[in-house]
């Protein structure tokens, strides 16, 4: 028998949050609904040029929106209507969106609606990333968002690739579900995912290598000497998904132009770090465990080294020696 993501989440809720009375599963079903809407829009993206470009009116008389704007609105709408949600934080919104029930809602949801902006219009995989935190009692607004990643209740992503795959953790392992377009449901396809102990790829934007700190350059050189090959899509979700399945390491180091790296702590590094650790891998910022960083701003950036235990440990050892 197939297991859908809804069935799986209900089961996890009974095991993990028996007192949640459906609110956690309802929240995650808002997430799966939004991502199904986003994937449907992405699948039609190539047709948009036929019926009208972004900003135009299509043949149905609807205004075409840019995909990242549409993705953000779909998530804000589908999550904002869930009873348990207090605050939504999106890469696309400068400030957190507090819902009417920001005093009573239990959860804060942080997301990157459509990650991989440079790949959106060229038919290369993009994704949605999310992180769910419990709102601490008596804490409201931005203060409720400023929690270290180890406090995440759940995290996950959807990669919109040759198929759409929903991957999540609620702290009891990592599970992947593939969208079956015939029944419109995400179906369990990767039970209890484990990242390989080591891999054969490193993934980094090597065009920036001249301005990486010395230890990063030495690390990449040592991987090359050991016969590693490189893969870089430029969509974090897709690069991470490959690393999760095949092992190896993904890095976004500090550069001269971006001394804190490019990626965002709350809705890119934290959720992927939670997934990596749950799958047996590691995630650091070059010095610290990502999940231990206490955020100071909602859009703060962090360097990121994430992947198999062996490759991330190797970076730490090499850095300690230099
Ligand atoms: P975005 O949020 O504007 O899409 O930027 C994030 C993306 C990540 O998906 C990816 O890992 C990174 O930017 C690629 O950056 P670069 O083009 O500098 O290699
Ligand atoms: Mg992004």
């Amino acid at each position: 028998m197939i297991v859908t993501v809804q069935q799986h989440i209900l089961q996890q809720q009974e095991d993990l949050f028996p007192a949640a009375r459906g609110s956690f599963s309802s929240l995650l079903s808002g997430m799966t609904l939004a991502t199904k809407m986003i994937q449907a829009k992405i699948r039609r993206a190539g047709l948009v040029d036929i019926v009208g470009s972004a900003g135009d009116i299509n043949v149905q008389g609807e205004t075409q929106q840019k995909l990242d704007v549409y993705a953000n609105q779909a998530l804000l709408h589908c999550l904002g209507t869930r009873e348990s949600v207090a605050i939504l934080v999106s890469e696309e919104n400068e400030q957190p969106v507090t819902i009417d029930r920001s005093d009573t809602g239990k959860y804060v949801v942080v997301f990157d609606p459509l990650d991989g902006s440079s790949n959106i219009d060229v038919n290369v995989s993009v994704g949605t990333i999310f992180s769910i935190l419990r709102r601490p009692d008596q804490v409201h607004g931005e203060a409720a968002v400023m929690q270290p990643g180890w406090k995440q209740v759940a995290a996950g992503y959807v990669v919109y690739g040759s198929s759409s795959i929903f991957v999540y953790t609620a702290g009891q392992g990592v599970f992947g579900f593939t969208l079956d377009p015939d029944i419109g449901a995400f179906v369990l396809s990767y039970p209890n995912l484990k990242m390989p102990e080591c891999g054969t790829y490193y993934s980094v934007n090597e065009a920036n290598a001249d301005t990486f700190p010395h230890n990063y350059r030495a690390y990449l050189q040592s991987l090359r000497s050991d016969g590693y090959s490189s893969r870089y899509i430029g969509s974090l979700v897709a690069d991470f998904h490959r690393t999760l399945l095949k092992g190896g390491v993904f890095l976004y180091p500090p550069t001269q132009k971006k001394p804190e790296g490019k990626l965002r702590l709350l809705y890119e590094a934290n959720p992927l770090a939670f997934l990596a650790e749950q799958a047996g891998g590691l995630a650091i910022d070059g010095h610290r465990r990502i999940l231990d960083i206490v955020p100071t701003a909602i859009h703060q950036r962090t360097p990121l080294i994430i992947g198999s235990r062996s490759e991330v440990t190797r970076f730490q050892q090499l850095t300690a020696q230099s």
Side-chain angles (χ1 to χ4, degrees):
M1 278 304 285
I2 60 165
V3 177
T4 67
V5 72
Q6 297 307 335
Q7 291 170 311
H8 195 268
I9 289 164
L10 276 170
Q11 185 61 51
Q12 288 250 311
Q13 176 177 267
E14 273 170 33
D15 295 347
L16 293 172
F17 314 108
R21 289 200 210 92
S23 60
F24 179 69
S25 63
S26 158
L27 166 53
L28 278 177
S29 86
M31 183 60 70
T32 54
L33 174 60
T35 56
K36 280 192 252 181
M37 290 166 64
I38 297 166
Q39 76 82 33
K41 203 76 166 176
I42 289 171
R43 300 284 170 233
R44 287 189 56 81
L47 295 168
V48 169
D49 281 341
I50 298 168
V51 293
S53 58
D56 283 356
I57 309 291
N58 70 10
V59 282
Q60 282 90 29
E62 299 158 342
T63 304
Q64 295 293 335
Q65 285 172 326
K66 282 176 66 83
L67 279 171
D68 43 3
V69 176
Y70 176 84
N72 192 39
Q73 286 176 351
L75 283 156
L76 290 174
H77 174 73
C78 293
L79 294 169
T81 51
R82 306 288 151 155
E83 275 299 304
S84 59
V85 174
I87 301 169
L88 296 171
V89 177
S90 166
E91 177 180 359
E92 296 282 331
N93 298 103
E94 199 50 44
Q95 297 297 324
V97 176
T98 46
I99 318 290
D100 277 353
R101 53 193 109 82
S102 71
D103 285 352
T104 53
K106 280 199 246 181
Y107 297 111
V108 176
V109 189
V110 187
F111 53 87
D112 184 349
L114 204 55
D115 181 66
S117 46
S118 66
N119 285 323
I120 292 175
D121 299 329
V122 291
N123 212 15
V124 173
S125 299
V126 289
T128 297
I129 318 175
F130 66 92
S131 157
I132 301 173
L133 296 156
R134 202 165 289 169
R135 184 182 62 78
D137 282 346
Q138 314 301 329
V139 183
H140 311 293
E142 196 169 318
V145 184
M146 296 300 153
Q147 303 183 50
W150 64 265
K151 291 198 171 176
Q152 290 171 103
V153 176
Y157 61 81
V158 176
V159 58
Y160 309 104
S162 46
S163 55
S164 294
I165 300 187
F166 181 94
V167 177
Y168 90 106
T169 183
Q172 295 285 310
V174 178
F175 300 88
F177 302 80
T178 305
L179 184 67
D180 179 339
D182 289 341
I183 60 172
F186 285 105
V187 174
L188 183 62
S189 45
Y190 298 93
N192 209 8
L193 262 168
K194 290 290 170 208
M195 201 179 266
E197 180 65 27
C198 66
T200 56
Y201 300 132
Y202 69 79
S203 185
V204 67
N205 187 340
E206 262 177 326
N208 298 326
D210 287 349
T211 71
F212 291 164
H214 173 74
N215 57 329
Y216 284 83
R217 281 185 279 143
Y219 174 64
L220 293 173
Q221 180 55 52
S222 83
L223 294 179
R224 279 194 293 273
S225 308
D226 279 358
Y228 277 75
S229 185
S230 88
R231 292 284 185 280
Y232 191 70
I233 298 166
S235 274
L236 177 62
V237 177
D239 279 315
F240 178 77
H241 189 65
R242 182 196 56 251
T243 307
L244 179 62
L245 297 183
K246 303 280 187 197
V249 63
F250 170 90
L251 311 87
Y252 207 108
T255 65
Q256 205 167 47
K257 273 197 218 142
K258 298 190 174 79
E260 296 305 316
K262 177 179 182 186
L263 301 175
R264 314 291 184 138
L265 176 63
L266 288 181
Y267 40 82
E268 294 179 324
N270 269 345
L272 299 187
F274 190 17
L275 288 161
E277 288 198 6
Q278 283 290 315
L282 293 170
I284 59 172
D285 73 349
H287 309 282
R288 296 167 290 180
R289 179 183 177 227
I290 289 287
L291 296 181
D292 284 337
I293 301 173
V294 180
T296 52
I298 61 170
H299 296 293
Q300 99 183 50
R301 298 175 197 271
T302 177
L304 178 65
I305 301 159
I306 189 166
S308 294
R309 187 162 285 272
S310 162
E311 279 84 354
V312 178
T313 309
R314 180 171 173 162
F315 178 89
Q316 290 169 311
Q317 287 166 346
L318 203 139
T319 299
Q321 286 161 14
S322 60

